[in-house]
Amino acid sequence: MRSEFRGLAEELMGEVDPVMAEPLRLSFMKDGRLDPGREQRAIEAVLRIGGGKETSAAGSLTRSWRTRISAQRGELHVDRIAYPDLVVNVGDRVQATERSGEPWFEILGVDDRHMTRLVVQLGEV
């Protein structure tokens, strides 16, 4: 039996995804190269990229550090109902095929414990 929460979550995704999801290409990697045993896959999912947070090597905005880095991270939210068999691993890559320059992102982490979404943490390649 489906819970009331799950029903509401699926209804919300049905409204959000058609507006916010975009075409993406997943490339599955093995030892830093395309994995010949896993074919590239086209999906549509919600991709959100941060604003390019500037931080110090200490991980804060402290002014006492002279070296600063720019780290742009993102998240990919995949509908588990639309892609029930999708398995991604740290090190795999995602390409935003309709964004300017078709940027690539590397998968830094995967959270597969959500009921309705596969949440993937991304970093720039």
Side-chain angles (χ1 to χ4, degrees), residues 21-90:
E22 63 184 278
L24 304 163
R25 175 181 298 120
L26 295 175
S27 294
F28 306 105
M29 309 300 283
K30 183 176 183 179
D31 300 325
R33 298 175 188 243
L34 281 174
D35 183 348
R38 298 178 72 197
E39 190 173 324
Q40 288 186 344
R41 186 162 178 188
I43 66 167
E44 287 198 10
V46 178
L47 175 62
R48 287 284 161 251
I49 304 302
K53 182 189 277 186
E54 189 176 314
T55 185
S56 73
S60 66
L61 295 176
T62 181
R63 296 192 196 303
S64 63
W65 282 86
R66 290 184 176 224
T67 303
R68 298 176 76 78
I69 57 173
S70 177
Q72 186 155 351
R73 299 195 58 174
E75 282 191 348
L76 180 62
H77 293 250
V78 181
D79 180 350
R80 294 186 85 152
I81 295 169
Y83 304 100
D85 61 334
L86 182 64
V87 175
V88 295
N89 300 308
V90 171

Side-chain angles (χ1 to χ4, degrees), residues 101-118:
E102 297 184 343
W104 284 94
F105 302 91
E106 182 175 0
I107 295 177
L108 303 176
V110 180
D111 183 352
D112 61 358
R113 296 184 179 198
H114 294 269
M115 185 184 311
T116 56
R117 295 272 192 202
L118 178 67

